[in-house]
Amino acid sequence: NPWFSYQHDAGFEPVGSNLISVLDDGHARKKEDPAANNRGQVWKLDEAAHTATLQHNADLGVYSVAVGSAQSLKNGGYTFEAGFIDPASPYSRAVETSADGKVIYAQQVEGLIVYRSFRVADLYSAPVK
C-alpha cells in the first residue's frame, strides 16, 4: 500500500492532468527482496479506460519503514521524503529527482523522523496557490 499525495492544482501541474505522485513504501517488494528501496513514482490516471500509466519512477536509495511525501516541482522533477529510515537510529532523507527520474539532490536529517517535507522557491516569497 503506497502513500498517496495527489497533486491537484499546486501551480505546477495543470488542473485535470490526472497525475498522482506516490512515495511507494515498497513493503511487498522488501519481503521478496531485502535490498529493495522506496521509490518515487508519478502515475497518469485514465479513469475512462481504467488504466494507470507510469510516468516517473525513481529508486530513492533508502528504505523508510513509515511516513513520507511527494511533490511536483516547476522544473518537471519531483521531490520525495523518505521520513523514517532505520528505526534503531532514525533519520530521514529528502530526494529530488529530475524530470527523467534521476536523483539530482538528497538532503539527510539525522536523529529525526520527518513526516513530510516540501520544497519552496525561497524563504521570502508567499507559496504559489
Side-chain angles (χ1 to χ4, degrees), residues 9-10 15 31 55 58 61 66 69-70 87 94 96 106 113 115 118:
D9 182 20
V15 173
K31 287 179 185 175
Q55 303 286 303
S69 59
E96 182 177 335
I113 298 168
Y115 181 70
F118 294 99

Side-chain angles (χ1 to χ4, degrees), residues 10-34:
F12 307 131
E13 311 227 10
V15 173
S17 67
N18 294 330
L19 294 178
I20 188 167
S21 55
V22 178
L23 176 68
D24 174 16
D25 59 24
H27 294 333
R29 286 181 298 105
K30 191 79 166 169
K31 287 179 185 175
E32 297 294 320
D33 175 9

Side-chain angles (χ1 to χ4, degrees), residues 13-126:
E13 311 227 10
V15 173
S17 67
N18 294 330
L19 294 178
I20 188 167
S21 55
V22 178
L23 176 68
D24 174 16
D25 59 24
H27 294 333
R29 286 181 298 105
K30 191 79 166 169
K31 287 179 185 175
E32 297 294 320
D33 175 9
N37 293 321
N38 300 123
R39 297 181 297 192
Q41 297 183 326
V42 178
W43 293 84
K44 184 167 184 91
L45 305 179
D46 182 337
E47 294 183 54
H50 301 283
T51 61
T53 305
L54 185 62
Q55 303 286 303
H56 189 89
N57 188 37
D59 183 325
L60 301 185
V62 293
Y63 178 71
S64 174
V65 298
V67 301
S69 59
Q71 177 190 11
S72 61
L73 302 174
K74 287 182 183 180
N75 66 6
Y78 291 83
T79 184
F80 302 95
E81 177 68 44
F84 187 8
I85 305 162
D86 189 6
S89 181
Y91 66 98
S92 64
R93 184 179 295 167
V95 178
E96 182 177 335
T97 62
S98 60
D100 61 358
K102 291 184 176 38
V103 173
I104 57 173
Y105 176 80
Q107 178 178 339
Q108 193 160 296
V109 177
E110 301 288 334
L112 293 174
I113 298 168
V114 176
Y115 181 70
R116 77 177 42 136
S117 66
F118 294 99
R119 287 282 309 274
V120 294
D122 60 64
L123 295 177
Y124 308 103
S125 303

